[in-house]
Coordinates of all heavy atoms in Angstrom, one line a residue:
L42 N 0.7 -10.8 -17.1 CA 0.1 -10.0 -18.2 C -0.1 -8.6 -17.8 O 0.2 -7.6 -18.6 CB -1.2 -10.6 -18.7 CG -2.0 -9.9 -19.8 CD1 -1.1 -9.9 -21.1 CD2 -3.3 -10.5 -20.1
A43 N -0.6 -8.3 -16.6 CA -0.8 -7.0 -16.2 C 0.5 -6.2 -16.1 O 0.6 -5.0 -16.6 CB -1.4 -7.0 -14.8
E44 N 1.6 -6.8 -15.7 CA 2.9 -6.1 -15.6 C 3.4 -5.9 -17.0 O 3.9 -4.8 -17.3 CB 3.8 -7.0 -14.8 CG 3.5 -7.0 -13.3 CD 4.4 -7.9 -12.5 OE1 5.5 -8.3 -13.0 OE2 4.0 -8.2 -11.4
Q45 N 3.3 -6.9 -17.9 CA 3.9 -6.7 -19.2 C 3.1 -5.6 -20.0 O 3.8 -4.9 -20.8 CB 3.7 -8.0 -20.0 CG 4.7 -9.1 -19.5 CD 4.4 -10.5 -20.2 OE1 3.5 -10.6 -20.9 NE2 5.3 -11.4 -19.9
M46 N 1.9 -5.5 -19.8 CA 1.1 -4.5 -20.5 C 0.8 -3.2 -19.7 O 0.0 -2.4 -20.2 CB -0.2 -5.1 -21.0 CG 0.1 -6.3 -22.0 SD -1.4 -6.9 -22.7 CE -1.8 -5.6 -23.8
A47 N 1.3 -3.1 -18.5 CA 1.1 -1.9 -17.6 C -0.4 -1.7 -17.4 O -0.8 -0.6 -17.5 CB 1.8 -0.7 -18.2
L48 N -1.1 -2.8 -17.1 CA -2.5 -2.7 -16.8 C -2.8 -2.5 -15.3 O -2.1 -3.1 -14.5 CB -3.2 -3.9 -17.4 CG -3.1 -4.1 -18.9 CD1 -3.7 -5.4 -19.3 CD2 -3.9 -3.0 -19.6
E49 N -3.8 -1.8 -15.0 CA -4.2 -1.6 -13.6 C -5.7 -2.0 -13.4 O -6.4 -2.1 -14.4 CB -4.1 -0.1 -13.3 CG -2.7 0.5 -13.4 CD -1.7 0.1 -12.4 OE1 -2.2 -0.3 -11.3 OE2 -0.5 0.1 -12.6
M50 N -6.0 -2.1 -12.2 CA -7.4 -2.4 -11.9 C -8.3 -1.3 -12.5 O -7.9 -0.1 -12.5 CB -7.7 -2.4 -10.3 CG -7.0 -3.5 -9.6 SD -7.7 -5.1 -10.0 CE -9.3 -4.9 -9.1
N51 N -9.5 -1.7 -13.0 CA -10.5 -0.8 -13.6 C -10.1 -0.3 -15.0 O -10.9 0.5 -15.6 CB -10.8 0.4 -12.7 CG -11.5 -0.1 -11.4 OD1 -12.4 -0.9 -11.4 ND2 -11.0 0.4 -10.2
D52 N -8.9 -0.7 -15.5 CA -8.6 -0.4 -16.9 C -9.6 -1.2 -17.8 O -10.1 -2.2 -17.4 CB -7.2 -0.8 -17.2 CG -6.1 0.2 -16.7 OD1 -6.5 1.3 -16.2 OD2 -4.9 -0.1 -16.8
T53 N -9.7 -0.7 -19.0 CA -10.5 -1.4 -20.0 C -9.6 -1.9 -21.0 O -8.7 -1.2 -21.5 CB -11.6 -0.5 -20.6 OG1 -12.4 0.1 -19.6 CG2 -12.4 -1.2 -21.7

Side-chain angles (χ1 to χ4, degrees):
L42 178 62
E44 289 175 18
Q45 289 173 354
M46 298 187 71
L48 297 170
E49 302 285 337
M50 293 289 291
N51 297 312
D52 281 354
T53 300

